[in-house]
Amino acid sequence: MANELAPSETALGIDLNLSAAMLDFRVNDVPILDPQTPLSTDAQITTQLTLNEAFTKGQNTISFSLKFKPNSEWTPSLHFRLHSWPAGTLPELFQGSDFVFDVTVAASQNDPDKVEITQMTGTGQPTATISNIHQTAGDGTTDSWNTWTVTANVMINFPQDAWQSAQILELAPELRRELSGEYMKVHSALSQGERAARMALAPYIHRLAGGVGASDDEYYASGYEALLSGEAGFTLRPFDADESTVQLYGHGRLAALLPLPIRYWNSEAEQEASLFLYFWKDQTGQWQIIH
């Protein structure tokens, strides 16, 4: 029964409460939010995130890096819970015992200069199993970045990530030149109109659609059509990678230029939108867009 769970019927994600801290949360070493900056607050952020697109069926690595922000009126802490729920519903935050695991990171009561992690395993979740969390970076003090990692074995029928069979990349000048060329190709396609844009992003859209059990057309219409067609009032900015540097993700298999060189601008709302695109090199040496 557990092996037959469909992405179209099941949402997998986290409840998140972050107070006076910065957080970098990744699945398979890919940031779930803006790769350019960690999530940061001087007060408190409480939200729920659906992460179907981030996971693949089978083994996944979840990592979270945390740094407290001192001199805040809020007590620094992180609380997050991984769980699943019926797709299309909005469960209450942090309610019940039906979850995969629950983690709290706060200052230790015995030593306020050290962080302390508390974890619980829920009951009745057939969607994933986890191994024990272990610290993989940091010295455990409250004024430094600390990173923890846990392995989750996911049973939902999410599609496999093609990029996980990619070559391991090494930072080098030629890598930046090649990567800039790949971004320029996508930018050129985006500038040629919606049809060319959609063709350039087709593998990427297909992977995202599979994560929620939707067709490519359905996913495109709900998430990208308004932006790429111009209906949302955004126009493509000129390509600019002069200040961008190469960053590696996906345990060295994915590469990105940051700041991202593909950006849109809405002059009326004075808002910018970016496409968080990563690239990988297959075993034949050909560059591919993340999918």
Side-chain angles (χ1 to χ4, degrees), residues 20-223:
M22 295 183 287
L23 173 68
D24 182 349
F25 194 103
R26 303 185 183 191
V27 177
N28 298 321
D29 195 35
V30 182
I32 65 168
L33 297 170
D34 189 339
Q36 300 172 108
T37 57
L39 183 64
S40 179
T41 180
D42 292 314
Q44 186 178 68
I45 296 173
T46 303
T47 189
Q48 188 173 82
L49 301 173
T50 302
L51 303 179
N52 283 30
E53 299 93 331
F55 286 98
T56 188
K57 183 179 179 180
Q59 184 170 299
N60 296 260
T61 301
I62 300 171
S63 64
F64 53 100
S65 300
L66 182 70
K67 184 177 182 181
F68 291 160
K69 303 184 75 171
N71 303 318
S72 171
E73 296 178 3
W74 295 76
T75 300
S77 66
L78 165 67
H79 183 196
F80 78 89
R81 173 176 288 188
L82 177 71
H83 64 119
S84 62
W85 57 92
T89 65
L90 292 174
E92 293 187 59
L93 292 167
F94 298 106
Q95 295 300 306
S97 60
D98 188 15
F99 56 87
V100 179
F101 72 103
D102 182 290
V103 173
T104 299
V105 182
S108 171
Q109 293 185 353
N110 296 326
D111 186 349
D113 292 329
K114 295 284 188 177
V115 294
E116 183 176 70
I117 184 167
T118 305
Q119 56 180 304
M120 299 185 298
T121 301
T123 60
Q125 282 273 343
T127 53
T129 58
I130 60 111
S131 64
N132 288 330
I133 296 172
H134 58 281
Q135 188 164 357
T136 52
D139 60 7
T141 59
T142 56
D143 60 354
S144 64
W145 280 99
N146 292 282
T147 303
W148 294 266
T149 300
V150 59
T151 299
N153 188 38
V154 175
M155 302 171 194
I156 304 171
N157 284 326
F158 295 133
Q160 298 297 306
D161 291 321
W163 65 262
Q164 293 199 26
S165 64
Q167 295 184 25
I168 301 295
L169 302 170
E170 295 184 5
L171 292 174
E174 57 268 25
L175 177 60
R176 188 189 187 285
R177 289 193 294 269
E178 291 180 21
L179 192 58
S180 181
E182 295 306 309
Y183 277 103
M184 288 183 68
K185 291 177 186 177
V186 173
H187 186 277
S188 176
L190 297 176
S191 69
Q192 294 173 35
E194 184 182 3
R195 182 179 179 182
R198 186 171 178 181
M199 289 180 62
L201 298 177
Y204 172 68
I205 296 293
H206 180 71
R207 171 61 182 86
L208 295 177
V212 294
S215 69
D216 294 6
D217 289 343
E218 290 169 338
Y219 195 91
Y220 177 78
S222 65

